[in-house]
Amino acid sequence: MIPNKKPIIVIGSSNTDMVIRCSRLPRPGETVLGGSFMMNHGGKGANQAVAAAKLGGDTVFIGKVGDDVFGHQTVEMLTSLGIDTRFLGVSATEPSGVALINVDEHTAENSISVASGANGAIRPADIDAAEEVIASASLILMQLEIPIDTVTYAAKMAKRHGVTVVLNPAPAPSEPLPEELLENVDIIIPNKTEAEVITGIAIDTPQDELRAIRSLHSKGISTVIFTLGSKGALLCQNGDCEEVPSFKVKAVDTTAAGDTFCGALCVGLSEGKEVRPAMIFANQAAAISVTRKGAQQSVPTRAEVDARFPN
């Protein structure tokens, strides 16, 4: 038990994932036959909330679903995990979000298309409704599958209340992020593609990585965690960088590995860990997740992480 542990607020998307595992990812205009199908709960926001909850965090999820079977099932599932869903709204006009995912059964790589539905209807007013719980939080965690003006509004509110703002800028934005968002972010967690889009710097060498990181620091972000997939992550705090290696496993499906990392990192931080130890814990949880199929069902519990990686 962590004394005086404050809640983790996850603000973001919730989708139903429809997944086909196939012999290889189809090229444009091509149909690949012979795949297997499964349907799961997903969405980057909900994935990260589930990860935080299963790994021991006191988690509140702010989002929106449709008034349909997918939405009702999502609320029921999140509630069953102990996630506070008081601020998970139900849209009367938009359907629940849906993601179509192809997974290469040999490499575990994936390609994803998303119909946002009710996720696109999350507005600043929804954030206002949760201001009291946001003000009491240890941190808020956000992604980019909901409207950017809502993400920016929530970041500004959190900073007003002295709450740490963590941004996973995924999926990669189609245009540069607003300065008023970045200047209110404390910790940013991009991968290579996302960092390239945000900074406008092509990343081909370690020197390019450092240039991109310095660019993010220059926008007022003190902590940059540059995720490197199977190679682990690069932690940079106020210009000082160090590698935090991953744990080697046989990957089956990487669908929610990044979301597991983000949720686990926030659990570690909420428990008072420094960033590097929290990243080690996050790498442990992500390593377990890629050995399993699916999104949220691949996220390990705290007991599973502790058993696999005893201190």
Side-chain angles (χ1 to χ4, degrees), residues 21-61:
R21 295 179 57 81
C22 44
S23 59
R24 57 182 172 80
L25 299 182
R27 295 184 293 269
E30 179 186 26
T31 299
V32 176
L33 298 176
S36 60
F37 174 76
M38 60 181 177
M39 189 163 65
N40 312 307
H41 297 292
K44 296 195 72 63
N47 289 349
Q48 293 179 10
V50 166
K54 291 179 74 172
L55 291 163
D58 179 5
T59 308
V60 180
F61 183 54

Side-chain angles (χ1 to χ4, degrees), residues 79-95:
T79 303
S80 73
L81 292 175
I83 296 171
D84 185 340
T85 59
R86 285 176 295 159
F87 306 103
L88 178 55
V90 178
S91 172
T93 58
E94 296 290 339

Side-chain angles (χ1 to χ4, degrees), residues 105-165:
E105 63 186 6
H106 299 295
T107 67
E109 294 299 320
N110 60 64
S111 63
I112 304 174
S113 298
V114 177
S116 296
N119 295 308
I122 302 172
R123 302 289 184 238
D126 300 306
I127 307 304
D128 284 336
E131 183 168 6
E132 183 176 353
V133 70
I134 289 172
S136 70
S138 58
L139 52 83
I140 66 168
L141 170 61
M142 298 185 288
Q143 328 73 33
L144 300 180
E145 286 185 334
I146 65 174
I148 194 67
D149 61 331
T150 303
V151 174
T152 301
Y153 188 86
K156 293 167 68 175
M157 175 186 288
K159 290 297 288 184
R160 255 195 337 268
H161 290 290
V163 176
T164 298
V165 177

Side-chain angles (χ1 to χ4, degrees), residues 18 44 65 96 103 138 145 149 163 177 189 204 240 246 269 272 282:
M18 299 185 183
K44 296 195 72 63
V65 296
S96 296
V103 179
S138 58
E145 286 185 334
D149 61 331
V163 176
L177 294 178
I189 313 173
D204 298 310
D240 294 325
S246 63
L269 295 174

